[in-house]
Amino acid sequence: MASLSGISSRTPLALFFFFCCCCCFAATASAQLSSSFYNASCPNALPIIQSAVKAAVAKERRMGASLLRLHFHDCFVQGCDGSVLLDDTSSFTGEKTAGPNNNSLRGFDVVDAIKSKLESACNQVVSCADILAVAARDSVVALGGPSWTVQLGRRDSTTASFSSANSDIPRPDFNLTDLISAFSNKGLATTDMVALSGSSNNDTDIDSSLAASLRSSCPSSGDDDSLAPLDASTPTAFDTCYYRNLLSNKGLLHSDQQLHGGGSTDSQVSSYAANSAKFFGDFASAMVKMGSISPLTGSSGEIRTNCRKTN
């Protein structure tokens, strides 16, 4: 999945993340959500989101990864509550300028367009947090990946956390132990982490020819518009090439190659490299678990009419 985007030469976290339960925590949260939540109140909600995502990805394939990354970064900070979409206000600094997000998160305009269509169809019914969850699924499908049933009924946060965005989203220089811990803190198992994968910064033990190529296209003094694909083989498709690259020490980022470097996750990477059906199934399951992290439900939060600001 990490094959879907590129990374800026100067912004180490210019990629969608993860990253993006074996836990009663996720099971409890999931029980508060329902796949049929909008069936009566806004029956066209999911088709409206799907149509908009298809159009956005058709216009720019990389947008699929960007929309998926928004959902990841939203869920890892305060839970899946749409907080990542909030602009700064006089009372709080939003998450958009935090280290993992600044000058790298994108797709906000696509979310705005989706929200506008939904407000016209069903005023103040569909939350921004649910838009992110459904758009992530539809983006993966549009790029040839698996589908899954999205649980719905999240409400939107009325605040955001700049500090939590800096502390809770896994960093590109994390080793395997750090990654396992970061995901465990969110109720996600190690198997979920490997399925969701990814993040930033070139590793020191990658294939020498790949390293030379990356230094040429992304020099340390380069500009923020230079991009390098996480998977040079099929950068705009959802497939298992990312894992096959790890077997050849061709992971672009330090945290990528940590997944296959003599540690406990090597066998899972090898399994995914050889069996796309296994990867697709595990990825879909992990996305459902991640989407159930601490949702606001019932009377908590609100349904924003504009995803960039509170009502």
Side-chain angles (χ1 to χ4, degrees):
M1 194 47 223
S3 66
L4 295 182
S5 185
I7 181 166
S8 161
S9 62
R10 293 182 62 191
T11 305
L13 282 159
L15 298 176
F16 73 110
F17 200 61
F18 322 55
F19 69 16
C20 221
C21 274
C22 49
C23 56
C24 59
F25 167 81
T28 300
S30 181
Q32 300 172 345
L33 304 175
S34 166
S35 61
S36 60
F37 189 82
Y38 296 114
N39 283 7
S41 59
C42 192
N44 291 324
L46 269 62
I48 287 171
I49 297 172
Q50 181 186 56
S51 177
V53 169
K54 279 185 175 180
V57 174
K59 182 178 180 180
E60 181 194 359
R61 296 279 289 179
R62 183 169 164 251
M63 185 55 68
S66 297
L67 292 172
L68 174 57
R69 187 175 183 238
L70 277 177
H71 183 44
F72 279 124
H73 281 227
D74 182 41
C75 290
F76 261 76
V77 181
Q78 299 187 169
C80 309
D81 62 358
S83 63
V84 71
L85 302 172
L86 289 171
D87 290 337
D88 296 350
T89 71
S90 58
S91 59
F92 65 82
T93 300
E95 298 162 20
K96 292 180 179 179
T97 57
N101 302 332
N102 194 32
N103 296 321
S104 66
L105 281 187
R106 57 199 297 273
F108 298 109
D109 54 338
V110 176
V111 175
D112 289 341
I114 293 172
K115 183 59 174 174
S116 178
K117 289 184 174 69
L118 288 171
E119 286 300 302
S120 295
C122 340
N123 181 249
Q124 211 169 347
V125 172
V126 182
S127 70
C128 300
D130 275 350
I131 290 173
L132 291 181
V134 177
R137 188 271 310 276
D138 292 344
S139 292
V140 170
V141 172
L143 292 168
S147 184
W148 59 90
T149 300
V150 179
Q151 298 300 306
L152 302 164
R154 301 168 190 81
R155 288 170 64 85
D156 298 321
S157 172
T158 56
T159 187
S161 178
F162 178 86
S163 61
S164 293
N166 278 317
S167 64
D168 291 7
I169 297 172
R171 293 196 341 236
D173 58 348
F174 273 7
N175 61 30
L176 183 58
T177 300
D178 295 330
L179 289 170
I180 291 172
S181 177
F183 279 75
S184 177
N185 288 340
K186 299 300 179 183
L188 295 170
T190 300
T191 51
D192 299 322
M193 181 268 291
V194 178
L196 295 173
S197 282
S199 198
S200 230
N201 278 349
N202 297 353
D203 204 359
T204 56
D205 60 353
I206 63 173
D207 177 79
S208 58
S209 60
L210 173 61
S213 173
L214 291 171
R215 291 190 188 102
S216 174
S217 60
C218 298
S220 58
S221 59
D223 63 79
D224 283 339
D225 294 324
S226 297
L227 300 173
L230 280 169
D231 165 22
S233 304
T234 54
T236 58
F238 188 101
D239 56 27
T240 59
C241 282
Y242 167 75
Y243 297 100
R244 294 200 292 272
N245 288 342
L246 296 184
L247 299 183
S248 303
N249 290 329
K250 292 184 178 180
L252 175 64
L253 312 171
H254 176 76
S255 54
D256 288 334
Q257 200 58 59
Q258 285 288 299
L259 301 183
H260 191 272
S264 61
T265 57
D266 282 14
S267 61
Q268 190 177 350
V269 169
S270 297
S271 174
Y272 289 165
N275 188 338
S276 60
K278 171 65 173 172
F279 166 53
F280 277 22
D282 285 358
F283 181 87
S285 176
M287 285 296 294
V288 173
K289 292 177 184 178
M290 191 196 71
S292 297
I293 297 175
S294 302
L296 296 174
T297 59
S299 60
S300 299
E302 64 181 15
I303 304 298
R304 292 185 219 135
T305 57
N306 181 334
C307 291
R308 293 176 182 261
K309 62 182 182 179
T310 59
N311 295 338

